[in-house]
Amino acid sequence: MSVARPNARLFARRAMNQIRSYAAPGEGTIPASKKKYVPTSGTYPLGFKAGSAHVGVKASNTRFDDLALIASETPCSAAAVFTTNKFQAAPVTVSREMLKRRSGKGVRAVVVNSGCANAVTGKGGIEDAVTMGEQIDQCFVKDSNGEDDGNGSRTVVMSTGVIGQRLPIQKIVDKLPQVYYNLGGNHEHWLATARAICTTDTFPKLVSRTFTLPSSDTKYRLVGMTKGAGMIHPNMATLLGIICTDVDIEPAPLQELLTSAIGKSFNSISIDGDTSTNDTVAILANGAACGPQISSTSSPDFQAMQETLTEFAIDLAKLVVRDGEGATKFVTIRVTNAKTYEDAKRVANSIARSPLVKTALYGKDANWGRILCATGYAEGVESVVPEKTSVSFVPTDGSEELKLLVKGEPERVDEERAAKILESEDLEILVKLSEKYEAQAVVWTCDFSHEYVTINGDYRT
């Protein structure tokens, strides 16, 4: 029996005096508990603008913007990291080839549609992705802000939504001049653009900040937006990310900066263990702040920029986890005392991916045996020593950790305190693998709820 999906719906869950409510995908209402993550102002990089427009890519979307454009007034250095899924969507293929052809130079924009992933769509899908980029290029040429340098398109193309369906490309093309006309530099423009790239997200994910670098007192700016709420797991996930900065960075060090930052941010999150066909995080740097150029990975500015960008990317990635489909908890998994960082990361990912761990957290059940089990079956790990392994819950209120297992010996668990810790939205799981090693890694994840199944069961409707 099928039930028609209403235009607006509110999911609610009640358990142990806890009520969680959130807006159904596409309803547009930001849940009260998520509004604190939506910025009311921002400081944005010089020379960049953002805009959005409504196309109706997905037939059920009759009023929300689903076409987004981020553009620079001048040509940029650009870099990107893409999904490792073998079935790579048309925009992934087209954007990768564009960046390779240009050696990361002379890029002007990122155009994004939501509602259709343009994935597994054959040659026609490739043609559609190429068309989207070329049509945006023409907007720059017509506005006398760009010219053909003989290297082809200057636009990164991204798509997100349902796999296996062709884009309504003519509807998109017809709206590209409008989204270009809608470009602006204020906070409302950036926030609306962040909203336009969403699918099952319940709130737009936008972060901005200012910073300086060692070589001068120049004030620089970063802005980033991302989308993703389900099908999230390294490498990477059903997520898109666009980062812009007014620092002057050559393409080669820019790619290295982004790749390194992704490893500790977007490749350190997991919602449901699935990796998608469309994952792309791109960064554009236009140098509009007029500071010294970063051209070498050995410069002090490169090292400082690495720290800044990594922290920034982590903040963006955490917002994806906080908006996990149906999630009620934000969980930090910290694995320490491993032989190598890779060992620690594999164990943390194994725990984050376990449905049994995630459902226990949803039910506020201190079932640490599931955590230990996921630790033990992590593949390719040499650091796990059962008689040396310890597991704890670390409360976020600063109180003492709750020890569950100490050097392979189970503790007498205070179930009442455990339940209280698990009532909190934020939780840390700490796993120590030995007494002699020092490597550690952190992965962020969420729980599994009934609503996750509901959302994904209804996804194509």
Side-chain angles (χ1 to χ4, degrees), residues 10-11 14 29 31 33 41 46 72 98 103 107 170 177 233 235 250 272 274 278 308 397 399 413:
L10 187 70
F11 293 119
R14 184 184 303 269
T29 302
S33 63
S41 63
L46 301 177
S72 173
M98 182 275 291
S103 299
V107 176
Q170 193 56 52
H233 191 75
N235 286 303
E250 281 285 289
D272 49 20
D274 268 309
N278 289 60
T308 298
D397 61 5
S399 60
V413 178

Side-chain angles (χ1 to χ4, degrees), residues 403-423:
K403 296 179 180 180
L404 308 170
L405 181 78
V406 177
K407 296 181 182 180
E409 295 292 335
E411 293 287 286
R412 186 182 296 275
V413 178
D414 182 342
E415 295 289 349
E416 185 176 343
R417 181 164 184 248
K420 185 175 181 181
I421 291 173
L422 290 171
E423 284 180 2

Side-chain angles (χ1 to χ4, degrees), residues 154-173:
R154 298 175 180 269
T155 301
V156 176
V157 179
M158 300 182 184
S159 297
T160 183
V162 176
I163 295 171
Q165 297 180 2
R166 287 285 298 275
L167 289 172
I169 189 61
Q170 193 56 52
K171 290 174 66 176
I172 292 174
V173 168

Side-chain angles (χ1 to χ4, degrees), residues 123-136:
K123 293 180 180 179
I126 295 290
E127 293 171 358
D128 291 344
V130 169
T131 297
M132 285 177 65
E134 289 180 344
Q135 290 298 310
I136 287 296

Side-chain angles (χ1 to χ4, degrees), residues 244-259:
C244 302
T245 183
D246 48 20
V247 182
D248 187 356
I249 312 174
E250 281 285 289
L254 184 64
Q255 182 66 61
E256 190 160 336
L257 285 167
L258 181 64
T259 300

